[in-house]
Amino acid sequence: MALTADDVNQIARLARLSLSENEAESFAGSLNGILDYVQKIDEVDTGGVEPTSRVARLSNVVREDRVEPSLSTEEALSNAPDKSGEYFRVPRVLEINE
Amino acid sequence: MPLEDYEIIIGLEVHAELKTESKVFCGCSTKFGAQPNSQVCPVCLGLPGTLPVLNKRALELTILAGLALNCKIAEHTGFDRKQYFYPDLPKGYQISQFDRPICYDGFIEILADDRDGNEVKRVGINRVHLEEESGKSVHSGTGILDSSYSLLDYNRSGIPLIEIVSEPDLRSPQEARRFLEELKRLLEYTGVSDCKMEEGSLRCDANVSLRKRGETRFGVKCEIKNMNSFRAVEAAILHEAERQAELLDAGEQVEPQTRGWDELTGTTVFMRSKESSSDYRYLPDPDLVDLVIDAGMVEALRENLPEMPGQKRRRYVEELKIPEYDAELISGSRNLAEYFESVVAVYNGPAKIVSNWVMGEFLRLINQEKVEIEDAKISPEEFAAVLRLVDNGTISGSVAKGVFEEVFRTGEDPESIVKRQGLAQISDADELSAVVDGIIEANPKAVEDVKSGNHKAIGFLVGQVMKETKGQANPKVVNQLLRDRLGL
Amino acid sequence: MELISKPVHELIDLLETRAISSEELVGQYLDRIEQVEPTIKAFITVDREGALEAARAVDESRRDGKAPSRLAGIPVAVKDNICTKGMATTCASEILKDFVSPYDAYVIERLRSAGMIIVGKTNMDEFAMGSSTENSAFFPTRNPWDLDRVPGGSSGGSAAAVASGEVPVALGSDTGGSVRTPASYCGVVGLKPTYGLVSRYGLVPYASSLDQVGILAGNVRDCAIMLGAIAGHDPRDSTSVKTERVDYEARLYNDIAGRVVGIPRECFGGPIDPHVTESVYAATKTLERLGARVQEVSIPTLQYALAVYYVIGPAEASASLARYDGVAFGYRYKQAEDSVSMFMETRGRGLGPEVKRRILIGTYVLSEGNYDRYFRKAMQVRTLIKKEFEQALEHCDVLVTPTTPTVAFRLGEKTDDPMSMYMSDMCTVVANLAGVPAVSVPCAKHEGCPIGLQLIGRSLDEALLLNIAYAYEQASGFEIEKASVV
C-alpha cells in the first residue's frame, strides 16, 4: 500500500516538518521507492532472534553522583535565537506538556 | 443516580524527583531555587554531539524505591527515547523507559474505606521507571493560553525522575489520598525523594473512570493533571467523579480526555482529547548501554533499606508498648522515628514516657520554633537526662518542662541548668512546712471542703503549694504534709 | 622545501629535527588551500590566523624542548560535524549555520593536546546524510581527480582536502561508509575504526549506533599514526570501550604470510562495475603474493545490509535530529506566532531535502503499527548479519570487498534518484551494522578515477587490519599519488 502525499504530510506533522505541496508529492514517490526496497528484509526468518540496538558489548556504564561545573548562564544562552534576561524565549505555547 | 451507585476506579501516576546531588545524565547540580539557566551544561541543554552517562546513584535510588514498593527488579533493562516536541524538552525526546521498567509488579498497603477503618488494602504498583526531567516553562500572561511568549529555564532539565504507576485499584478520593500519603512516606523514608509538592519534586496525575456497582468492565477514563497538593488530588477526583456521574445519568458518554484541575474554580477543565493521543515513537537509546542488575546489587541495596513505617508502627505498639496513635504519628516521619528511637535507646525507663514527651513538648517546640528535627539542639542524651531528673525526683514534672524548653533552645546540659537555676525539687518536710501552713491559712474554704469529706479539694491545695514554690516542691511530700495537718 | 606532497611521518621527522617549522609547514598548506579551494571547495571554514598562531605556539614549545607530542605542528582538517569550541560547527546545514559549540569534541581535545593544528572545517553532506557531498546546504565539493565528479560522501570535504594536498590528514565520520566511500572516490586511505574505539563525544550524531569518527590520510602509515592520536577511552561516551593503548604504527611491519583473506561472494556481481571487481581480484592476487591465503566465503545476510541500514539509520536520525527545533540554539523561523508553527517552519526551512527524507522514513518506521514490521525486524536482521560476520571473521583475518560499486559518479548524476545514491553504500554499511573496523585503500584507477579496496577486520583489531592494508599498499605502489589539481 503506497504512501500518498497526505500520508507524507501526516508523518511530517509528527516530525514537525513543514512541507510544501511539491515536497509532499516528491517525498511520497521517493519514500515508496525506499520502503519497497527495505521490505526485502521480510524474506529473512527472524523467529526467536533478539534485536540488536547497540553493538557495544558493554553494560552498566555509570558515573558517580558528583557535581561538576556547569556552563555560565552567558555561555548557555550564547546560541539562543531569542532570549530575555536569563531565560530562553519562545513564542507562545498552545499545548500542555506531559 | 447518586454517586454512591457508581464505583469510582482510580489509578495514579506519580512523578518523584530523586534525591541526587547531580543530574541523571550529566554533572550539573540538582539544587532547587538557583538562578535560571545557571545549572546547565551542553548535555542537559541537548547541544549537538553531547552524550548521556548514567548517574549510578539515580539507578540505586530507583531500585530502592522499587524495593520499598515491594516490586520485582528487572535483571535486564535499559533506556529508550520517548519522542515528542515541546520547548522545555531540549533534545526533542526524553530519555525514559518504555517496555522494560527497572521495577515492576509491586504493591503498597493502605487503610481501606471500611466502617472501622482498620482493614488493610493492597494497592498494586504496575511499574516504577527512571527518566529525565524536562526544563521549566514560565508563561507570560495569566495562563498558558493567553500568553504571548514563554520563557525557559533548563536548570530542572535532566534531574532524575521516577514515574510510579499504580494499578487501578483505588476506589475513592480518600483512598487515593491515603495512597499518596503512604507513598510519600515510603519515598522519604528510603531517602529516594524529598517529595516536596510545593517545589514540584512530587507530582501526581489521576486516571478516573466510573462503573455501575456490580459491573465488571471498566468505564471510559479521563486523566487529571495539575493537582498541586494531596488535598487537591482528593478534591479533583471527587469533582471528576461527580462530573462523569452527571454525564452517565444524562445518558451521555464520557469522552476520553486529559483534564486539568483548576484550583480557583474547584473544577476540572478540558485540556485535550485522548483520541489525538501522542505517538511517541519510542526507540532504544543507542547512546546508553544495557543495564544488567544482578541479585548481588539488589541484595546490597535491600540491606541498606531502613525499617519501613508500617514495620516500625507495629514494633512500637507491640514491643515498646506505646499507644497506637503515637506509634502511627512517630513512625510517619523517618527523622522523628529515628530521634525517638535514639532517646529510647539511651533512656532506661519505659518508651511510653519518651513518646509522651516527643508527642508533647518536643513536637510543640519543633512546630513553634519551626526547626527541622535533625537540627534540634537537644540531643537524645539530653532528652533522656531530663526524663531521668524527673524519675529520680531531682525535679518535678512541671519544672522539667521548663528545663526541657531551655535545653531545646540552648543545647545546655540539663543538670547544669537545674544546678545553675536552683530548680531542684524540695522534698525536705521541714523546708516545706512553712509554705504548707501558709496555704492552709490562706484557703479556709478549701480546707473546710476537705474536712467535710471532699477529698478532691486537697489537689487544689497541693497545686497552690506547687505554685508558691514555682513547681519545686515534691508533690508527694506536700500531699503527705497536708494530710497530716488536716488530720486525714 | 616543498612540503605538500610529503606524508605525515616524514613531516614529523622534519619538524622534530627542526629542519622546518610548523609555521612554515602550516603556511604552505594554507597557501595551497588558497590556491585550490576556489576549484575544490573542500572547506566550510578556514581558520588561517588561528592556525598560524597555534603553529607559532608549537614552534615555541618545541624550541624549549616541550613539544606536546610528535604530531605537534602537523596541520589537520576536521569534518564540520565535529564540535570545535570557538569555531562554527555547521554540519553543512542551514539550521546550524551560525552554531558555535561551547565545548570541544573528545577528538578535538585529543588533537589540540597533541599540538596538531586545526586549519579548518570541511564540507560534507548535510548531517552526514549522503554519499556525494552534494547534500551540503552550502555548495558541493569537487573530486580532485575529475572536477566533474563528486568526491563521495559524506566526508567529501575531508577526502578531497587530503587528495588535493590542502591538508596531509583529516578527520571524518562514518555511519554507513562516509569515510570509506569518499576515500575510495578520491584515492586516499579512509579508516572507520571499531565502534567504541574512538569517543563520539562531540560528534554530531546522524545515527548513534552506527556513527564513528574516522580518518582520511594519504597512506596507511599516516592513518595508523592518527589512530593512535584519537583512540582511547572517554568516560563521557557510554559506548566508549576500555582498551590497552596500541602502537598501531609499530605493528604495520609484521609479515602477513599465512594470514587468511576472505572474499565474501555476496559482494560481487549485481551493480558492481566489472572494472571494480577485476581490480579487487587483482588486489587479492597481490595479497596472495605476499603469502596470504585468499579464500571465498559466504555471508548470505549481507544482501540485506543496505535495507537494514536504511531502516535503522533514519529511525535513529529521526530522534537524533529532533533537537533542531529553533528553541535553544541554531536557526529559528522568527515569524512564527506559536511554538508549534515555529517547530514546523524552523525545521521545514532549516533542513535540506535528504535530511527531511530520512527523518520522514525514520518517523514512519517508528510510528504506531510500523515499529515491529520495520524497525524491530531490521534490528533482528542486524543481529543475524553481525553474527554471520563474526563467524566469517573467526577463520578469516580480514574480509576484502570493493569499497564502492563504481568509481566516482558525476555531479548531479544521482541527485534525483535517492535509491541509486544509496546503492553507493552497499559494500560499506555492513561494517557499521556489525561495529567492526574497515579501511579503504586505493587499488586501481578506471577512467582516470581511483578505485578503493575495502578491508574489513575484527573488532578492536585495527593493528592487524592496518598491517594487512599497509602490506598491500607497499606492494601495490599506490602510495603518495596526489591528484594534480588545476
Side-chain angles (χ1 to χ4, degrees):
Chain A
M1 207 172 49
L3 296 174
T4 64
D6 279 349
D7 296 332
V8 170
N9 275 319
Q10 215 161 5
I11 303 164
R13 170 84 196 171
L14 280 177
R16 298 288 187 270
L17 284 173
S18 70
L19 300 181
S20 68
E21 229 169 275
N22 281 344
E23 276 183 307
E25 285 291 341
S26 112
F27 282 138
S30 59
L31 257 59
N32 284 323
I34 295 160
L35 292 171
D36 272 353
Y37 176 78
V38 303
Q39 241 148 52
K40 70 191 276 185
I41 59 178
D42 286 349
E43 297 164 11
V44 186
D45 177 6
T46 51
V49 176
E50 280 297 310
T52 294
S53 56
R54 321 167 172 85
V55 283
R57 283 201 187 90
L58 296 164
S59 59
N60 299 8
V61 176
V62 291
R63 42 172 279 273
E64 294 301 319
D65 182 22
R66 253 197 312 269
V67 174
E68 296 189 28
S70 296
L71 291 174
S72 69
T73 304
E74 194 190 341
E75 284 175 296
L77 291 165
S78 65
N79 279 294
D82 190 14
K83 58 191 165 187
S84 172
E86 295 155 316
Y87 292 94
F88 294 87
R89 190 159 93 154
V90 290
R92 66 208 201 106
V93 181
L94 298 175
E95 295 171 322
I96 315 281
N97 191 7
E98 296 317 290
Chain B
M1 196 155 80
L3 189 54
E4 290 71 47
D5 293 344
Y6 291 101
E7 195 177 17
I8 311 176
I9 312 290
I10 306 158
L12 298 179
E13 273 177 38
V14 178
H15 286 92
E17 286 181 0
L18 299 180
K19 222 160 104 184
T20 55
E21 297 293 319
S22 64
K23 293 184 178 179
V24 59
F25 296 120
C26 67
C28 288
S29 168
T30 56
K31 204 171 268 166
F32 182 77
Q35 289 293 306
N37 294 305
S38 63
Q39 291 172 175
V40 293
C41 73
V43 176
C44 56
L45 283 174
L47 294 190
T50 55
L51 297 170
V53 183
L54 178 63
N55 180 337
K56 185 178 164 193
R57 187 69 192 143
L59 173 62
E60 290 171 350
L61 291 177
T62 307
I63 297 172
L64 269 180
L67 294 175
L69 306 182
N70 305 296
C71 287
K72 297 183 176 121
I73 308 298
E75 283 172 42
H76 290 268
T77 174
F79 292 96
D80 299 288
R81 295 176 175 182
K82 176 184 181 179
Q83 302 193 63
Y84 63 93
F85 287 89
Y86 202 78
D88 63 20
L89 187 68
K91 298 187 295 296
Y93 60 83
Q94 178 191 32
I95 302 178
S96 181
Q97 299 189 291
F98 177 46
D99 53 356
R100 298 175 300 166
I102 294 173
C103 324
Y104 60 99
D105 203 5
F107 64 88
I108 62 180
E109 288 179 342
I110 59 165
L111 291 177
D113 283 336
D114 64 336
R115 231 148 289 180
D116 44 15
N118 280 326
E119 196 187 313
V120 168
K121 169 170 181 165
R122 208 169 249 213
V123 181
I125 301 290
N126 178 284
R127 60 186 283 164
V128 180
H129 74 249
L130 177 58
E131 59 188 24
E132 57 180 346
E133 269 275 26
S134 59
K136 223 179 149 124
S137 313
V138 182
H139 306 295
S140 71
T142 53
I144 186 166
L145 296 177
D146 68 353
S147 61
S148 58
Y149 61 87
S150 293
L151 300 176
L152 296 162
D153 171 10
Y154 291 106
N155 282 350
R156 202 182 70 176
S157 166
I159 287 180
L161 194 65
I162 48 173
E163 179 175 317
I164 301 158
V165 182
S166 88
E167 297 292 352
D169 290 346
L170 299 159
R171 291 291 176 270
S172 75
Q174 296 75 27
E175 277 190 5
R177 181 182 181 144
R178 281 199 291 276
F179 173 86
L180 284 173
E181 283 168 349
E182 180 63 12
L183 181 64
K184 177 174 189 276
R185 211 169 8 239
L186 292 168
L187 297 180
E188 283 175 341
Y189 242 83
T190 41
V192 165
S193 174
D194 278 336
C195 295
K196 291 185 179 159
M197 271 191 125
E198 68 283 6
E199 290 180 9
S201 72
L202 186 76
R203 305 192 291 274
C204 173
D205 303 329
N207 284 303
V208 179
S209 66
L210 296 189
R211 67 180 171 199
K212 280 190 189 140
R213 291 205 180 268
E215 175 67 70
T216 50
R217 280 172 312 174
F218 287 129
V220 177
K221 69 182 177 194
C222 288
E223 187 179 1
I224 317 168
K225 292 179 175 287
N226 283 351
M227 299 169 292
N228 296 322
S229 65
F230 289 172
R231 198 194 48 74
V233 172
E234 200 176 331
I237 292 173
L238 179 62
H239 173 271
E240 177 59 19
E242 283 167 349
R243 187 188 72 86
Q244 291 185 15
E246 266 174 45
L247 284 173
L248 294 172
D249 285 348
E252 290 174 43
Q253 300 273 323
V254 174
E255 301 291 334
Q257 293 172 347
T258 299
R259 301 180 65 86
W261 171 244
D262 185 337
E263 193 77 48
L264 290 174
T265 59
T267 55
T268 63
V269 292
F270 175 77
M271 282 166 84
R272 65 166 169 261
S273 168
K274 282 264 180 193
E275 316 272 20
S276 62
S277 86
S278 310
D279 182 345
Y280 291 123
R281 303 181 310 289
Y282 280 98
L283 77 158
D285 192 334
D287 288 331
L288 288 156
V289 298
D290 291 329
L291 296 177
V292 180
I293 304 171
D294 61 29
M297 183 176 177
V298 175
E299 284 321 305
L301 286 166
R302 199 191 297 277
E303 274 170 32
N304 282 331
L305 213 56
E307 188 185 21
M308 288 294 129
Q311 294 168 292
K312 272 198 197 299
R313 191 176 55 225
R314 238 165 288 143
R315 182 165 62 84
Y316 289 175
V317 173
E318 286 163 18
E319 292 176 23
L320 300 181
K321 313 281 183 213
I322 71 172
E324 183 96 36
Y325 179 79
D326 294 12
E328 170 82 23
L329 194 132
I330 292 172
S331 66
S333 146
R334 184 173 173 186
N335 284 339
L336 184 61
E338 279 175 359
Y339 189 90
F340 165 74
E341 288 179 32
S342 326
V343 180
V344 170
V346 289
Y347 175 60
N348 288 324
K352 169 85 179 70
I353 292 180
V354 179
S355 81
N356 282 346
W357 278 81
V358 165
M359 300 286 291
E361 287 307 287
F362 184 67
L363 283 180
R364 181 181 69 78
L365 290 165
I366 286 284
N367 294 330
Q368 183 183 311
E369 304 294 312
K370 295 190 170 59
V371 288
E372 299 291 328
I373 289 161
E374 58 268 36
D375 298 334
K377 286 196 178 128
I378 182 166
S379 69
E381 289 75 18
E382 290 161 346
F383 194 125
V386 175
L387 304 190
R388 275 196 297 268
L389 287 172
V390 179
D391 292 347
N392 63 24
T394 308
I395 55 175
S396 67
S398 55
V399 166
K401 284 187 183 172
V403 173
F404 189 90
E405 184 160 348
E406 182 100 14
V407 183
F408 187 90
R409 286 185 208 288
T410 63
E412 197 186 337
D413 173 50
E415 280 179 55
S416 68
I417 292 174
V418 169
K419 210 168 280 173
R420 185 163 50 76
Q421 301 189 4
L423 298 173
Q425 190 161 253
I426 308 164
S427 305
D428 183 350
D430 292 348
E431 226 178 295
L432 290 171
S433 293
V435 186
V436 170
D437 291 344
I439 292 297
I440 288 173
E441 205 164 307
N443 296 281
K445 172 82 175 68
V447 170
E448 203 48 47
D449 286 350
V450 174
K451 284 184 171 163
S452 62
N454 181 3
H455 288 196
K456 279 183 188 160
I458 203 162
F460 171 76
L461 292 171
V462 173
Q464 291 307 106
V465 175
M466 295 307 290
K467 201 170 160 191
E468 187 69 22
T469 59
K470 298 198 173 65
Q472 280 177 266
N474 183 332
K476 275 188 195 153
V477 178
V478 173
N479 200 299
Q480 195 53 53
L481 281 172
L482 282 167
R483 282 170 184 273
D484 292 349
R485 292 286 195 283
L486 301 178
L488 295 177
Chain C
M1 198 189 312
E2 157 71 30
L3 302 171
I4 297 302
S5 60
K6 292 194 187 305
V8 171
H9 54 266
E10 280 180 34
L11 295 173
I12 287 173
D13 288 344
L14 291 169
L15 284 167
E16 285 195 322
T17 57
R18 290 171 54 196
I20 57 166
S21 70
S22 175
E23 187 178 6
E24 191 182 337
L25 175 66
V26 171
Q28 278 200 21
Y29 273 105
L30 287 167
D31 291 347
R32 175 72 176 173
I33 289 172
E34 225 161 77
Q35 180 200 350
V36 306
E37 206 32 31
T39 315
I40 303 295
K41 291 176 157 302
F43 283 88
I44 292 173
T45 305
V46 175
D47 182 17
R48 191 183 172 90
E49 288 318 307
L52 286 170
E53 198 181 308
R56 282 191 288 267
V58 165
D59 285 337
E60 203 168 304
S61 65
R62 184 161 269 137
R63 262 196 302 278
D64 299 342
K66 289 175 185 157
S69 85
R70 57 199 208 97
L71 279 163
I74 302 283
V76 59
V78 175
K79 190 178 182 179
D80 211 17
N81 61 349
I82 297 174
C83 288
T84 45
K85 191 172 176 173
M87 200 189 293
T89 299
T90 70
C91 295
S93 180
E94 282 292 334
I95 215 159
L96 286 178
K97 197 169 73 181
D98 301 313
F99 177 71
V100 180
S101 167
Y103 74 99
D104 272 334
Y106 170 84
V107 289
I108 298 299
E109 285 178 357
R110 291 289 301 270
L111 298 186
R112 289 199 209 275
S113 69
M116 291 194 79
I117 312 298
I118 298 166
V119 296
K121 304 292 288 288
T122 56
N123 199 19
M124 53 185 282
D125 287 298
E126 183 177 2
F127 284 106
M129 296 179 187
S131 311
S132 69
T133 311
E134 292 166 292
N135 295 333
S136 166
F138 308 136
F139 44 78
T141 296
R142 289 170 188 272
N143 188 318
W145 295 89
D146 179 344
L147 298 176
D148 290 334
R149 293 181 194 253
V150 300
S154 65
S155 312
S158 286
V162 173
S164 60
E166 292 180 296
V167 279
V169 65
L171 294 187
S173 71
D174 190 315
T175 306
S178 281
V179 160
R180 292 159 287 156
T181 296
S184 167
Y185 287 177
C186 291
V188 298
V189 174
L191 171 71
K192 180 206 91 76
T194 304
Y195 185 82
L197 181 64
V198 180
S199 167
R200 291 181 297 114
Y201 190 77
L203 169 66
V204 180
Y206 153 21
S208 295
S209 82
L210 303 161
D211 296 337
Q212 258 295 280
V213 174
I215 296 159
L216 293 127
N219 59 78
V220 176
R221 187 169 163 193
D222 289 357
C223 195
I225 294 170
M226 276 304 285
L227 182 61
I230 60 170
H233 179 252
D234 176 10
R236 289 166 304 180
D237 176 357
S238 304
T239 63
S240 167
V241 293
K242 286 181 180 151
T243 48
E244 302 267 311
R245 204 158 264 205
V246 178
D247 185 344
Y248 299 104
E249 194 187 1
R251 300 269 298 273
L252 292 177
Y253 314 108
N254 293 344
D255 192 352
I256 67 160
R259 293 294 180 190
V260 180
V261 174
I263 307 178
R265 197 175 299 141
E266 293 77 10
C267 284
F268 296 88
I272 309 282
D273 184 316
H275 293 101
V276 172
T277 303
E278 202 178 294
S279 307
V280 171
Y281 275 109
T284 62
K285 296 287 171 229
T286 305
L287 288 166
E288 235 162 9
R289 270 204 311 281
L290 293 167
R293 282 188 5 241
V294 177
Q295 54 179 240
E296 225 177 61
V297 296
S298 177
I299 304 174
T301 54
L302 208 56
Q303 56 179 310
Y304 303 105
L306 196 65
V308 168
Y309 174 79
Y310 275 98
V311 174
I312 290 175
E316 290 184 24
S318 71
S320 297
L321 273 69
R323 71 191 66 202
Y324 307 108
D325 56 7
V327 175
F329 56 85
Y331 164 79
R332 171 190 293 186
Y333 176 69
K334 293 234 160 90
Q335 283 73 50
E337 288 186 352
D338 64 81
S339 288
V340 172
S341 57
M342 177 187 79
F343 292 152
M344 303 279 298
E345 294 303 320
T346 295
R347 293 166 61 74
R349 291 159 195 261
L351 298 171
E354 184 58 30
V355 174
K356 287 190 212 172
R357 178 164 21 246
R358 295 198 196 184
I359 290 175
L360 291 170
I361 298 170
T363 305
Y364 181 73
V365 299
L366 289 175
S367 59
E368 247 174 325
N370 290 328
Y371 183 95
D372 285 345
R373 177 173 172 209
Y374 290 102
F375 188 60
R376 190 180 151 83
K377 180 85 181 179
M379 289 195 295
Q380 288 174 309
V381 180
R382 185 179 186 180
T383 305
L384 297 175
I385 293 173
K386 187 165 180 277
K387 204 167 114 201
E388 283 188 4
F389 238 77
E390 283 166 352
Q391 279 165 355
L393 285 163
E394 264 167 35
H395 60 274
C396 298
D397 292 300
V398 286
L399 300 172
V400 163
T401 77
T403 307
T404 52
T406 64
V407 295
F409 48 89
R410 290 192 165 70
L411 282 150
E413 190 181 323
K414 297 189 175 180
T415 38
D416 293 333
D417 185 359
M419 211 47 240
S420 79
M421 181 82 86
Y422 295 174
M423 288 295 176
S424 320
D425 300 330
M426 62 177 288
C427 304
T428 48
V429 293
V430 68
N432 304 79
L433 291 172
V436 295
V439 63
S440 177
V441 292
C443 70
K445 276 206 282 192
H446 174 60
E447 296 175 352
C449 290
I451 293 172
L453 171 76
Q454 178 176 235
L455 297 99
I456 304 173
R458 290 189 197 114
S459 216
L460 295 172
D461 202 354
E462 274 78 358
L464 178 58
L465 177 68
L466 291 173
N467 173 202
I468 296 172
Y470 181 77
Y472 168 75
E473 179 191 66
Q474 295 304 305
S476 72
F478 254 81
E479 198 191 351
I480 324 181
E481 198 182 340
K482 290 269 187 237
S484 49
V485 193
V486 278

